[in-house]
């Protein structure tokens, strides 16, 4: 265990292309999104720089950017901390997610081809394997890919752009309830695929609304337990 509380192997390798500050930003954002860095955790510049193999300057710049975007809180005389989302913040974002994804499901049901449906079935199978193996990180990643594929099949670039803006926060909120949602989440995914195969836009819309609402309720129930 590293001194910042990062599990061994959690620190991503920085790819060489692109400005260093951007690569450090992406690395830290990934650590926050996957909750390798927990909400409320103190972020020490020197330690993060050491883990990432960089100087403190790009880490400082990345933390400032993450603060601007609401991922990190910079507290005077205390330093940087991973933001702790309020229940209201989570509720607002997950409500917006429901609106975007319900429309994506409707459009996917209207226009998905056989190749797109096959891709959804393959992603669902991989997600089910991750759940069976109790691979939470894998299940979260496959869940994100499944929903991204539906968004792609919707064929609406503006809708996809809006969804991309909330995707990482959705992953952030989904991670702590992924094990609780478990197999049931993928049962719901299978039902969505069936509606898309049947080209039943109304059913696909309803199922996606119910599916995302289950996640929202699970998140709030987790906070009360």
């Amino acid at each position: 265990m590293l001194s910042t509380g990062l599990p061994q192997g959690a620190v991503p390798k920085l790819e060489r292309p692109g400005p260093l500050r951007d690569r450090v930003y992406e690395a830290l954002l990934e650590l926050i999104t996957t909750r390798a860095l927990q909400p409320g955790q103190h972020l020490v510049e020197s330690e993060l720089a050491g883990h990432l193999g960089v100087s403190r300057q790009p880490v400082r710049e990345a933390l400032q950017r993450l603060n601007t975007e609401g991922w990190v809180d910079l507290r005077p005389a205390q330093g940087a901390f991973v933001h702790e989302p309020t229940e209201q913040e989570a509720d607002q974002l997950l409500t917006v997610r429901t609106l975007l994804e319900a429309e994506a499901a409707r459009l996917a049901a209207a226009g998905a081809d056989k190749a797109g449906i096959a891709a959804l079935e393959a992603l669902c199978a991989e997600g089910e394997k991750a759940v069976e193996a109790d691979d939470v990180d894998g299940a979260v990643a496959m869940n994100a890919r499944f929903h991204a594929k539906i968004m792609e099949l919707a064929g609406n670039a503006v809708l996809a752009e809006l969804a991309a803006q909330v995707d990482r926060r959705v992953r952030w909120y989904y991670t702590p309830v992924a094990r609780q949602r478990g197999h049931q989440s993928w049962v719901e995914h299978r039902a969505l695929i069936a509606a898309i195969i049947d080209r039943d836009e109304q059913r696909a819309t309803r199922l996606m609304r119910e599916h995302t609402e289950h996640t929202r309720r699970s998140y709030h129930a987790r906070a009360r337990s």
Side-chain angles (χ1 to χ4, degrees):
M1 187 70 73
L2 302 176
S3 57
T4 53
L6 292 175
Q8 292 290 351
V11 180
K13 292 182 179 179
L14 298 183
E15 299 298 332
R16 289 295 145 199
L20 185 58
R21 64 178 178 274
D22 292 343
R23 290 183 278 129
V24 171
Y25 162 84
E26 286 294 336
L28 292 179
L29 182 53
E30 184 67 13
L31 289 169
I32 292 171
T33 303
T34 59
R35 295 189 178 238
L37 291 171
Q38 291 284 325
Q41 185 168 339
H42 188 202
L43 303 174
V44 181
E45 287 181 9
S46 59
E47 292 183 350
L48 292 171
H51 299 329
L52 296 173
V54 299
S55 68
R56 293 176 63 176
Q57 183 59 32
V59 172
R60 184 177 300 114
E61 293 174 354
L63 291 175
Q64 290 171 345
R65 179 176 172 185
L66 290 165
N67 171 248
T68 300
E69 296 176 357
W71 293 99
V72 166
D73 296 330
L74 296 179
R75 304 174 189 170
Q78 295 184 52
F81 296 81
V82 179
H83 179 65
E84 296 185 74
T86 65
E87 292 299 296
Q88 184 179 33
E89 287 172 2
D91 195 68
Q92 290 176 353
L93 183 119
L94 293 173
T95 297
V96 169
R97 179 221 186 183
T98 294
L99 296 173
L100 296 173
E101 299 228 19
E103 177 62 8
R106 184 188 72 79
L107 292 172
D113 57 14
K114 289 183 179 179
I117 291 168
L120 286 177
E121 290 175 330
L123 290 168
C124 198
E126 288 299 314
E128 289 164 345
K129 287 180 184 178
V131 170
E132 290 300 320
D134 197 28
D135 178 4
V136 174
D137 290 342
V140 170
M142 296 311 300
N143 181 73
R145 288 180 61 187
F146 180 88
H147 283 270
K149 188 64 182 181
I150 289 181
M151 193 62 63
E152 178 188 325
L153 295 177
N156 185 312
V158 175
L159 187 65
E161 182 180 353
L162 292 172
Q165 292 177 25
V166 302
D167 174 65
R168 264 181 151 151
R169 289 191 187 274
V170 169
R171 285 176 59 196
W172 195 32
Y173 296 136
Y174 183 71
T175 296
V177 301
R179 182 173 278 115
Q180 176 187 343
R181 291 283 283 128
H183 183 65
Q184 180 57 34
S185 179
W186 297 94
V187 170
E188 293 164 13
H189 286 163
R190 287 287 181 187
L192 270 166
I193 293 173
I196 291 170
I197 290 172
D198 292 343
R199 298 199 178 281
D200 190 332
E201 298 177 39
Q202 186 174 11
R203 188 164 102 242
T205 302
R206 175 178 57 79
L207 288 172
M208 182 62 91
R209 282 178 179 157
E210 292 173 353
H211 175 67
T212 54
E213 177 63 13
H214 289 159
T215 297
R216 189 181 71 84
R217 288 179 179 174
S218 294
Y219 183 85
H220 290 310
R222 158 209 137 272
R224 292 190 293 269
S225 62

